[in-house]
């Protein structure tokens, strides 16, 4: 698949079919992740592929608590807004069914000791995560970049035996999509691009 | 270009030809950036395209000071190591010639007020940056994700009129490459992938 096609149709997938994901496809999206740049090419990343059902259920419970805490309070308001309602329902569905997603991938970053660097920690891991999402899209697999489980980040680290000095930066559910890819809703590029100085716009 | 080809040949380019980059190609890499996911689809990003030579020279000076401070002290050691020397020379070249790169793009993120979120700030901007790098690669344009100018982040914000509440998260030089793309040097994926628990490896 063409790069631009993948980028322009990479929609968050939050409803998955139960069919398993062949191991070779998991390897392919992970290897694509590891091709990403990182400060000083340090590659301070590890990826944990969770397929064990009891482990997934534990993580799903942490995730559900994150969802309830952050998005529970705005439920009525979101469902009353025709623009918000479909996205809210889809995200709520994922929060209630995370354990059923065939594969959960945790992207971990070594944050201590942190190298002498001007780079924010995220710059060391989210390019790899984006590679993973794009590679999955190209293979017809759905993903979504989530962090709601992080309300219990410490507990997730204990659950999976992640040592001190490492942090989980994202959870990526992976599976065959049960909803269409795309279209994306984005602010037009002309609105978010400035030329030489803040606020100075141009027409395309 | 195929997604995997772009991902597997996206090498940091630090030597550029002086030829200008057509505006339409700048728009294309920026629009690809804006297709990235961001928490709650909030799109808290702005991109500043710097082409004005005096502005580029100021930024280059900040960048050079970051280079000297972080990498100056290891110069002799790096040049004595046959693995490190070529990368060091290439990065040093960029630090000395940044103002000559045709286009500098600053990726800005609104970090205050920060939304109620479990996501680290970087998750809101580096997926967009990675899209930009991959789109550029597909168009034959070179880029590198850099942050060394951030030793003077406050001054860069003043220089370009970036308001309070916004932070520059990355500087992306963009131009026609004067060095080949790829190959990449990465740790094998089997070494950085664990299955169900930290440290539990599998053969591919």
């Amino acid at each position: 698949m063409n790069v631009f096609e993948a980028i322009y149709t990479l929609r968050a997938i939050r409803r998955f079919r139960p069919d398993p994901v062949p191991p070779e496809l998991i390897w392919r999206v992970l290897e694509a992740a590891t091709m990403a740049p990182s400060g000083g090419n340090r590659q301070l990343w590890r990826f944990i592929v969770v397929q064990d059902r009891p482990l997934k259920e534990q993580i799903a419970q942490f995730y559900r608590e994150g969802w309830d805490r952050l998005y529970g309070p705005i439920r009525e308001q979101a469902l009353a807004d025709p623009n918000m309602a479909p996205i809210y329902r889809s995200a709520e569905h994922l929060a209630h069914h995370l354990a059923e997603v065939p594969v959960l991938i945790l992207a971990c970053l070594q944050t201590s000791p942190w190298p002498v660097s001007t780079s924010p920690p995220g710059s060391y891991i989210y390019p790899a995560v984006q590679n993973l999402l794009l590679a999955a899209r190209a293979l017809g697999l759905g993903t979504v970049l989530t962090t709601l489980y992080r309300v219990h980040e410490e507990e997730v680290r204990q659950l999976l035996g992640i040592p001190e000095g490492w942090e989980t930066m994202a959870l990526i559910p992976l599976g065959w999509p049960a909803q269409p890819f795309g279209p994306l809703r984005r602010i037009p590029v002309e609105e978010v691009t400035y030329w030489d100085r803040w606020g100075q716009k141009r027409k395309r």
Side-chain angles (χ1 to χ4, degrees), chain A residues 147-193:
Chain A
T147 60
L148 285 169
Y149 72 92
R150 277 172 51 101
V151 297
H152 289 292
E153 208 271 332
E154 174 67 27
E155 289 90 338
V156 168
R157 290 202 290 109
Q158 282 177 17
L159 179 71
L160 301 177
I162 301 170
E164 282 299 308
W166 291 80
E167 194 176 336
T168 66
M169 300 290 276
L171 170 68
I172 304 130
L174 175 78
W176 301 106
Q179 62 178 106
F181 287 109
L184 308 179
R185 297 194 307 173
R186 295 290 189 274
I187 303 168
V189 63
E190 292 94 332
E191 295 298 312
V192 298
T193 303

Side-chain angles (χ1 to χ4, degrees), chain A residues 36-63:
Chain A
S38 60
N41 197 23
R42 288 188 188 90
Q43 308 171 63
L44 304 174
W45 49 52
R46 294 291 185 281
F47 301 92
I48 309 182
V49 180
V50 182
Q51 296 175 290
D52 176 71
R53 182 70 191 228
L55 288 174
K56 286 196 294 180
E57 276 170 8
Q58 279 275 288
I59 294 168
Q61 191 182 320
F62 296 140
Y63 188 87

